[in-house]
């Protein structure tokens, strides 16, 4: 075995102190210069580049049912529409409007907080396309907020209103008897839908997992069912009664059409053809008997078939008038329901969306004072660390710092 030795250097806390003692003036100058340059530059930006900020907050009370997410692309489209309406008299080109809407979008910050709030902040700027005043910025932000509020409103309203195409539009090619039948089905469907939406209809029970029990589920709309609409003096119960009261008009129209065997000359299928088709589905039984009796009413001996041309036209006109009156009454009832639904939905908006008033912060710096301090402090620390290690490396190479030790090791021959 042969022993060998090698020299190594170790550095301790005292060496760091030596570096600081020897180079503290240079380090101090670096720190001061950095503080003056960075802090002064940022301070000038904060002092001379000023703007106003316009802000408003939307508090989303019910995020699970009626939440409307922020989609920046949609907002950019809406901003351009707002600008087109607002500056319609300034003859801005399409490019000017696109550039201005892009600039506004760049200066619009939308911050979502953990407490289910959106804060919209629009910073003022000098637009190249047109002169924008303080009231312009405030108005633009208000319009953006109003549009976003309308998204919530539409979502809430949609959950109550019932959309139907003009009643009767799709039945003109049917026989008069079938038009009455179609109206009857439409009324039954509307009654069912209104009861469901208003929470007045109990839905079928559903099995609860891990249990043999069954739970009946009802729609929680009891407040809606009790709501009184001052615009038309209606409640949901009134709408349902109005729908059910159409039964007598339907029965009267059906009786008139059947007793006189009134055909619709515009129909693609006559009653005789329709009944023959149904008899093929039900060749026997009670339904077959009912259809056979109905077919007799539309036979050659019916008042309609026995009448001359003028008499037929009179019967057709009477049948069509009765059907049109029912359809018109049904449309009026549906309009009343939707007016009630919209009124109730509007009354509930404050329960779901709370919007703060617009606030204006005047004459703000482009950079906040606290940000100036923090950025300057961070820059100073970085420069100090870099400078320290530059001087440390220099003194290390010159041998001014470090303790030399001899390390012995055993080597095999």
């Amino acid at each position: 075995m042969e022993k060998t030795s090698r020299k190594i250097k170790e550095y301790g806390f005292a060496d760091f102190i030596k570096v600081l003692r020897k180079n503290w003036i240079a380090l101090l100058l670096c720190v001061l210069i950095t503080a003056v340059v960075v802090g002064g530059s940022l301070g000038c930006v904060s002092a001379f580049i000023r703007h106003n900020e316009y802000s408003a907050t939307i508090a989303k009370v019910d995020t699970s049912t009626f939440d409307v997410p922020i989609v920046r692309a949609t907002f950019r489209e809406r901003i351009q529409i707002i600008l087109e309406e607002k500056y319609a008299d300034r003859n801005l080109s399409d490019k000017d409007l696109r550039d201005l809407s892009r600039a506004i979008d760049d200066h619009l910050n939308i911050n979502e907080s953990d407490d289910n709030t959106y804060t919209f902040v629009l910073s003022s700027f000098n637009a190249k396309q047109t002169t924008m005043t303080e009231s312009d910025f405030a108005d633009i932000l208000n319009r953006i907020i109003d549009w976003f509020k309308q998204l919530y409103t539409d979502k809430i309203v949609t959950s109550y209103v019932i959309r139907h195409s003009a009643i009767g539009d799709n039945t003109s090619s049917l026989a008069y008897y079938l038009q009455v039948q179609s109206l009857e089905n439409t009324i039954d469907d509307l009654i069912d839908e209104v009861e469901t939406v208003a929470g007045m209809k109990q839905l079928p029970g559903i099995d609860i997992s891990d249990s043999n029990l069954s739970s009946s589920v009802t729609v929680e709309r009891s407040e809606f069912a009790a709501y009184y609409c001052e615009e038309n003096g209606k409640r949901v119960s009134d709408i349902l009664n109005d729908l059910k009261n159409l039964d007598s008009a339907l029965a009267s129209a059906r009786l008139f059409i059947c007793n006189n065997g009134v055909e619709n000359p515009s129909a693609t299928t006559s009653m005789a053809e329709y009944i023959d088709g149904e008899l093929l589905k039900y060749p026997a039984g009670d339904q077959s008997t009912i259809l056979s009796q109905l077919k007799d009413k539309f036979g050659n001996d019916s008042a309609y078939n026995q009448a001359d041309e003028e008499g037929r036209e009179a019967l057709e006109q009477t049948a069509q008038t009765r059907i049109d009156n029912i359809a018109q009454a049904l449309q009026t009832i549906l309009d009343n329901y939707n007016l009630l639904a919209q009124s109730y939905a509007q009354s509930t908006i404050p329960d779901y969306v709370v919007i703060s008033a617009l606030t204006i912060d005047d004459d703000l710096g482009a950079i906040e004072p606290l940000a100036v301090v923090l950025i300057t402090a961070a820059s100073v620390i970085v420069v100090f660390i870099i400078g320290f290690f530059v001087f440390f490396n220099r003194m290390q190479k010159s041998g001014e710092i470090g303790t030399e030790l001899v390390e012995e090791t055993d080597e095999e021959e």
Side-chain angles (χ1 to χ4, degrees):
M1 301 285 291
E2 183 179 350
K3 288 188 177 182
T4 60
S5 62
R6 62 174 181 172
K7 294 180 180 180
I8 61 172
K9 274 195 174 184
E10 289 186 352
Y11 301 93
F13 182 73
D15 295 314
F16 290 93
I17 298 299
K18 285 182 183 179
V19 174
L20 289 176
R21 281 180 179 175
K22 183 173 182 179
N23 302 287
W24 70 271
I25 296 177
L27 287 171
L28 180 60
L29 287 174
C30 291
V31 166
L32 290 175
I33 291 171
T34 301
V36 170
V37 172
V38 176
S41 300
L42 296 177
C44 288
V45 171
S46 178
F48 297 110
I49 302 178
R50 315 293 292 180
H51 70 279
N52 297 340
E53 283 188 353
Y54 308 83
S55 60
T57 299
I58 291 183
K60 305 171 294 175
V61 180
D62 186 335
T63 57
S64 60
T65 308
F66 301 117
D67 188 22
V68 179
I70 293 289
V71 180
R72 290 308 294 244
T74 305
F75 267 78
R76 284 192 289 272
E77 293 175 6
R78 173 49 49 176
I79 289 170
Q80 184 161 343
I81 293 172
I82 290 172
L83 294 176
E84 288 173 354
E85 296 171 351
K86 182 173 180 60
Y87 297 131
D89 59 339
R90 300 198 188 181
N91 297 320
L92 296 177
S93 66
D94 290 341
K95 182 180 183 303
D96 288 338
L97 288 170
R98 286 195 301 271
D99 291 343
L100 183 56
S101 62
R102 191 179 301 112
I104 289 175
D105 185 55
D106 290 341
H107 288 80
L108 177 65
N109 290 321
I110 305 173
N111 304 312
E112 185 173 6
S113 304
D114 294 334
D115 58 351
N116 291 327
T117 61
Y118 282 130
T119 300
F120 292 71
V121 181
L122 178 61
S123 302
S124 63
F125 61 95
N126 294 323
K128 298 178 181 178
Q129 297 79 10
T130 185
T131 302
M132 295 180 65
T133 64
E134 179 177 308
S135 62
D136 287 334
F137 285 107
D139 183 54
I140 289 170
L141 183 59
N142 273 326
R143 293 194 189 197
I144 293 172
I145 290 290
D146 287 343
W147 169 71
F148 195 63
K149 175 185 175 182
Q150 190 61 45
L151 293 179
Y152 274 98
T153 301
D154 292 343
K155 205 163 191 178
I156 295 169
V157 169
T158 300
S159 68
Y160 292 96
V161 300
I162 296 175
R163 306 293 183 190
H164 267 275
S165 59
I167 296 167
D169 280 357
N170 301 320
T171 61
S172 60
S173 62
L174 298 177
Y176 293 127
Y177 179 88
L178 298 180
Q179 289 187 38
V180 173
Q181 192 175 63
S182 176
L183 283 171
E184 188 174 43
N185 293 335
T186 298
I187 291 170
D188 289 341
D189 290 342
L190 285 174
I191 290 173
D192 183 74
E193 190 168 357
V194 169
E195 287 179 340
T196 301
V197 171
M200 301 171 72
K201 181 181 179 65
Q202 192 155 5
L203 301 179
I206 57 173
D207 292 332
I208 302 175
S209 58
D210 301 327
S211 173
N212 294 323
L213 299 177
S214 179
S215 173
S216 294
V217 179
T218 56
V219 183
E220 296 296 334
R221 293 285 170 80
S222 56
E223 290 184 3
F224 177 42
Y227 180 77
Y228 176 77
C229 178
E230 294 183 355
E231 296 175 68
N232 59 13
K234 297 285 186 181
R235 286 188 171 87
V236 173
S237 57
D238 298 319
I239 301 297
L240 291 171
N241 287 334
D242 291 342
L243 287 171
K244 292 171 183 177
N245 287 339
L246 290 177
D247 286 346
S248 59
L250 287 166
S252 177
R254 182 185 289 107
L255 185 63
F256 174 82
I257 292 168
C258 289
N259 286 345
N260 292 282
V262 187
E263 292 279 3
N264 179 6
S266 301
T268 55
T269 303
S270 68
M271 277 301 293
E273 292 171 329
Y274 165 74
I275 295 170
D276 286 340
E278 292 297 300
L279 284 170
L280 292 176
K281 299 179 186 176
Y282 309 99
D286 294 341
Q287 187 65 29
S288 174
T289 302
I290 294 171
L291 288 169
S292 297
Q293 293 171 352
L294 184 62
K295 186 175 182 179
D296 291 340
K297 293 181 179 294
F298 289 89
N300 294 329
D301 295 335
S302 69
Y304 179 81
N305 285 323
Q306 292 294 324
D308 57 16
E309 185 175 350
E310 186 176 345
R312 290 186 179 186
E313 289 179 356
L315 289 171
E316 292 166 11
Q317 183 62 44
T318 301
Q320 189 63 63
T321 298
R322 292 192 177 198
I323 291 171
D324 290 344
N325 288 342
I326 297 171
Q328 185 176 358
L330 181 54
Q331 187 64 58
T332 300
I333 295 169
L334 183 58
D335 291 342
N336 276 329
Y337 168 80
N338 281 334
L339 182 61
L340 165 67
Q342 290 175 0
S343 177
Y344 176 75
Q346 292 288 348
S347 73
T348 65
I349 296 297
D351 296 335
Y352 296 106
V353 185
V354 180
I355 300 180
S356 72
L358 181 70
T359 58
I360 302 175
D361 294 325
D362 295 319
D363 200 30
L364 299 176
I367 303 176
E368 293 291 330
L370 179 61
V372 172
V373 173
L374 292 176
I375 294 173
T376 302
S379 301
V380 164
I381 292 172
V382 170
V383 168
F384 175 81
I385 292 173
I386 293 173
F388 178 86
F389 279 103
V390 168
F391 290 123
F392 181 90
N393 187 56
R394 185 181 300 171
M395 293 180 68
Q396 181 188 38
K397 289 181 178 179
S398 64
E400 296 178 61
I401 56 174
T403 301
E404 192 173 86
L405 300 175
V406 176
E407 182 182 67
E408 293 184 350
T409 58
D410 295 329
E411 290 186 359
E412 294 182 0
E413 292 183 355

